Amino acid sequence: MTALPGPAGPPDHTAGVRIARFYGPRGSAVHMALAEGDPARPLPANGGLRVTRRRLTESAARGLTGRLAAEMLLKHRLHRTGFWGAKIVVDGVDAVGDDLLALVAEVLNSCEGAVYTGADMGVDAADMERLAQLTPYVLNAVGSRAEPQAATAHGVLGAITAWAGGSPQGLRVLVHGAGKVGGALARELVAAGATVLTCDRDASAADIPGCRPVPDWAAHSVDVLAPCSVSDLLGPPAAERLRCGAVIGSANAVLSDERVTAAVLARRGITFLPTALTNAGAVIVDSVEHYSPHAFRAAAPEDLYAFVRTTVHAAAAAHLGSVASPSRAPGVLPPPAEEFCGLRFAAGGPAAAGSGPAEVGTPAA
């Protein structure tokens, strides 16, 4: 292996998150953040690789990468995946080329198993397959017919059924962002009998059979707004405009000015299920892939998706039942179960995550 390029600056340890910045190809920058839950207990960190064309200031990149890693830590702890939090953000890149993947692989290999990554925004499964040829530290359902984005969609579906108290049939849901996760969620909701509105800056992506595309996502009265697009979608002004009963989606760090926005939603009686709780489908599958590789390889995608639905449903139901008002600031969540969820899958399959209400009204995968 060639020598790893040195960081472009000293690591930042702000708020318990360690952040390093590396020089990338063609003037880009690679930012890696690690968030440990307990330094005395060694666990690998896991978080997606995000690539954006937009060039960020160093301060903005550190803030975004650190925030996403901290949210990943919360997600891993909540669902007891057996990982700490991580995130890799590359800015100023037009395409995911071989030179960028080679650099990311060098960074991962230098960590010697302390950090794993998978696909996030700007990266697809084919990129992860290429990266997996350069480093063993990739968790992205490599070699499986299961799709991480579909797993994430099934997790959001499980959270929606927990909020609804049963089947999503008859619910009116607006899916913001009709990409791989949002599109899969929209199709599952249609199959379950929900009325689904879709909104995407790419009008063709929003044109999903059984759904009604709309241009203004905040103008419609719905039961559930499902953000499956970008971070910082909802700030206080947008929260004041919403006409929905709940915000339940997959977009990471969806609230800007988080505590103020969450307070606005709570005041208006709008349930907000923290993203760390709802969009964990991919990392739940990662836990199975890492801790129960034999069960993972033998599992049908439908088994993994059902396990994700029941796991997220159970966590969402516990969260909703743990407070008098289900709307509260992100980060205050019930303690997780003791056993890593990937081991629980191997022990009993989907039923091991829970039974009964978790599958009520949930469409077959």
Side-chain angles (χ1 to χ4, degrees):
M1 183 180 75
T2 59
L4 179 67
D12 176 44
H13 297 79
T14 304
V17 179
R18 293 179 291 145
I19 304 172
R21 178 173 180 263
F22 301 88
Y23 291 113
R26 298 179 299 282
S28 63
V30 178
H31 310 268
M32 183 173 69
L34 303 180
E36 288 181 322
D38 180 2
R41 185 177 189 191
L43 289 175
N46 179 23
L49 169 64
R50 176 178 295 199
V51 175
T52 176
R53 292 183 178 183
R54 186 162 56 101
R55 194 174 300 279
L56 305 174
T57 66
E58 184 174 352
S59 175
R62 280 203 312 269
L64 175 63
T65 311
R67 180 181 175 196
L68 292 174
E71 186 161 299
M72 287 299 301
L73 174 62
L74 181 60
K75 185 187 309 185
H76 288 305
R77 295 185 72 173
L78 173 64
H79 294 285
R80 193 63 175 176
T81 63
F83 298 103
W84 298 141
K87 184 64 66 171
I88 302 174
V89 175
V90 185
D91 68 315
V93 174
D94 291 330
V96 182
D98 291 341
D99 49 358
L100 175 60
L101 292 178
L103 174 59
V104 172
E106 286 190 83
V107 171
L108 291 171
N109 288 336
S110 73
C111 295
E112 300 181 333
V115 184
Y116 287 78
T117 197
D120 195 355
M121 295 175 63
V123 182
D124 61 22
D127 297 323
M128 288 295 102
E129 294 281 355
R130 290 158 60 203
L131 183 60
Q133 298 300 311
L134 304 173
T135 177
Y137 306 119
V138 174
L139 291 171
N140 201 70
V142 175
S144 170
R145 290 186 296 113
E147 298 180 354
Q149 296 90 347
T152 299
H154 279 277
V156 177
L157 181 61
I160 290 174
T161 61
W163 175 79
S167 170
Q169 183 173 5
L171 288 183
R172 188 173 169 87
V173 183
L174 194 154
V175 178
H176 185 278
K180 293 180 179 179
V181 174
L185 175 63
R187 287 186 284 272
E188 292 293 334
L189 286 166
V190 168
T195 298
V196 183
L197 311 181
T198 52
C199 182
D200 195 288
R201 58 186 177 185
D202 179 356
S204 63
D207 189 13
I208 295 172
C211 301
R212 179 162 71 90
V214 297
D216 186 353
W217 57 272
H220 296 270
S221 179
V222 295
D223 296 299
V224 178
L225 169 66
C228 299
S229 52
V230 296
S231 301
D232 296 326
L233 176 70
L234 289 175
E240 293 285 4
R241 285 186 63 203
L242 289 184
R243 298 163 60 196
C244 64
V247 176
I248 306 172
S250 68
N252 285 310
V254 70
L255 302 186
S256 66
D257 199 354
E258 291 188 46
R259 296 200 175 277
V260 174
T261 304
V264 171
L265 295 174
R267 172 173 54 79
R268 299 192 62 223
I270 298 173
T271 298
F272 173 67
L273 286 183
T275 308
L277 188 154
T278 61
N279 78 346
V283 299
I284 291 170
V285 172
D286 287 348
S287 182
V288 178
E289 183 178 1
H290 185 70
Y291 288 103
S292 301
H294 297 296
F296 172 77
R297 287 192 292 269
E302 293 76 12
D303 293 335
L304 291 166
Y305 300 154
F307 181 70
V308 166
R309 285 197 307 273
T310 55
T311 299
V312 177
H313 183 287
H319 173 66
L320 290 167
S322 67
V323 288
S325 170
S327 297
R328 64 178 176 181
V332 186
L333 298 169
E338 284 303 312
E339 188 177 33
F340 294 161
C341 63
L343 295 171
R344 197 165 67 247
F345 178 86
S355 59
E359 290 298 314
V360 172
T362 304

